[in-house]
């Protein structure tokens, strides 16, 4: 993936006028061209030369599932090396949001997550992440206004490529999606969060918390043994102070595991102490997003019933916590993170040819 400066160098090397770089950039990142032959204002001889030396990363949909209820679209893309990933388009009143994968699989091992069952094959390149968004924008014919890096993979385990992606997608000469409209979700890789502070990109940080104590968190997320809860919250606090962006704490609620009223009270306490030590006070420092767990067949985890979730929410609210329950999108095409991809892996394993 070449940025504008690198494209400029390439054009100089090929003896082209400098405005060609801007033209190429426009074709690639604004018109989302999938081939050099589409680039009508570029001389044919240059197009041929480029096609000999370079390729444009594109996504081929293997399958697109469209919800009849709310227009959510789930994409299964196959990559050039035949690996398969997923991405989702969600339509909201405030705009269209795309949830992208950052890795093929994941090596973090969170207990209830389907993406991690086969480990991590590789990180996606920045170009592949861009291509996920470009392909979806082309497919739905509407502008994408928000990006959530919450699909398969741990973005901070693929740090450099994820940051390249964020810089390109927020470039004003490309799709120009403001970093403020981009959310990066992490299981809590502390050095990654700290490095991200240094990038000065105002992306929203979502932290997968899932528990209110160190021991409970370790039970659900192996990575918690490496980066302790206290350290993770310290890094989030520093992120908030540096960026002014409200932290989003994700809490996947699992029946009988982390959904009890005492867990809710402990969570409220933990987060109230998080904000009391955060300059700027309680208001606006964070909010909690509860995600009723989406059961996967390989594990016995179940979602709590509605009454237990309502009680959990009530306890958080009376303790002053700003909380929302994630609305389930595309219920009729439902499948948890990483499950569509797994179906493809399994089909390939049992294929007859
Ligand atoms: N690796 C990153 C981003 C990918 S997962 C992270 O851990 O944040 C995005 C969110 O979905 C995380 O909070 C993750 O814990 C949650 N999640 C994954 N599988 C889930 C499932 N089956 N049900 C509910 N939440 C799930």
């Amino acid at each position: 993936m070449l940025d504008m400066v690198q494209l400029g160098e390439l054009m100089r090397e090929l003896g082209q006028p400098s405005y060609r770089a801007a033209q190429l950039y426009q074709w690639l990142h604004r018109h989302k061209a999938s081939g050099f032959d589409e680039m009508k204002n570029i001389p044919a001889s240059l197009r041929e030369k480029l096609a000999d030396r370079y390729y444009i990363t594109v996504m081929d949909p293997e399958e697109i599932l469209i919800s009849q209820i709310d227009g959510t679209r789930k994409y299964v893309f196959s990559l050039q090396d035949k690996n398969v990933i997923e991405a989702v388009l969600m339509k909201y009143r405030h705009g269209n949001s795309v949830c992208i994968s950052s890795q093929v699989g994941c090596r973090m091992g969170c207990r209830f997550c389907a993406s991690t069952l086969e480990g991590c094959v590789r990180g996606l390149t920045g170009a592949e992440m861009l291509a996920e968004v470009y392909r979806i924008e082309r497919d739905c014919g509407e502008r994408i206004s928000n990006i959530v890096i919450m699909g398969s993979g741990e973005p901070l385990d693929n740090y450099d490529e994820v940051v390249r992606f964020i810089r390109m997608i927020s470039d004003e000469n490309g799709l120009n999606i403001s970093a403020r409209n981009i959310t990066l979700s992490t299981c809590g890789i502390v050095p990654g969060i700290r490095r991200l502070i240094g990038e000065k990109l105002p992306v929203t940080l979502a932290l997968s918390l899932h528990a209110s104590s160190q021991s409970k968190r370790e039970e659900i997320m192996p990575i918690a043994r490496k980066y302790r809860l206290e350290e993770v919250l310290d890094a989030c606090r520093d992120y908030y102070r540096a960026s002014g962006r409200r932290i989003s704490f994700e809490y996947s609620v699992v029946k009988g595991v982390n959904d009890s009223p005492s867990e809710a009270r402990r969570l409220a306490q933990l987060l109230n102490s998080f904000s009391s030590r955060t300059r700027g006070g309680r208001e606006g420092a964070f909010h909690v997003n509860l995600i009723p767990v989406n059961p996967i067949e390989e594990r016995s985890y179940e979602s709590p019933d509605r009454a237990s979730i309502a009680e959990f929410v009530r306890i958080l609210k009376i303790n002053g916590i700003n909380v929302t329950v994630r609305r389930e999108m595309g219920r009729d095409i439902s499948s948890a993170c990483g499950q569509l991809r797994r179906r493809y892996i399994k089909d390939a394993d049992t294929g007859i040819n």
Side-chain angles (χ1 to χ4, degrees), residues 291-307:
I291 317 168
V293 81
N294 202 337
I296 61 174
E297 62 183 52
E298 291 82 357
R299 300 270 187 266
S300 55
Y301 290 142
E302 289 172 39
S303 178
D305 54 40
R306 288 173 69 156

Side-chain angles (χ1 to χ4, degrees), residues 112-113 149-151 153-155 185-187 208 210 250 252 291-294 296 336-337:
F112 46 76
C113 180
I149 311 175
M150 268 193 196
E154 168 47 49
S185 180
T186 177
C187 61
S208 296
H210 306 329
E250 310 289 305
S252 297
I291 317 168
V293 81
N294 202 337
I296 61 174
C337 319

Side-chain angles (χ1 to χ4, degrees), residues 1 27-29 31-39 54-62 75-85 87 104 122 124-139:
M1 180 164 73
W27 278 112
L28 292 168
H29 301 291
H31 304 308
K32 298 152 286 184
S34 57
F36 292 104
D37 48 348
E38 291 171 33
M39 304 179 176
Y54 294 93
Y55 62 86
I56 300 174
T57 302
V58 290
M59 286 288 147
D60 291 321
E62 286 284 339
Y75 294 81
V76 179
F77 288 125
S78 64
L79 309 176
Q80 225 136 19
D81 62 5
K82 301 287 174 238
N83 275 304
V84 170
I85 57 161
V104 180
R122 67 176 177 86
L124 296 184
T125 62
E128 285 170 326
M129 290 180 252
L130 281 179
E132 290 180 62
V133 183
Y134 293 178
R135 188 64 181 78
I136 291 176
E137 198 173 81
R138 272 177 84 136
D139 184 65

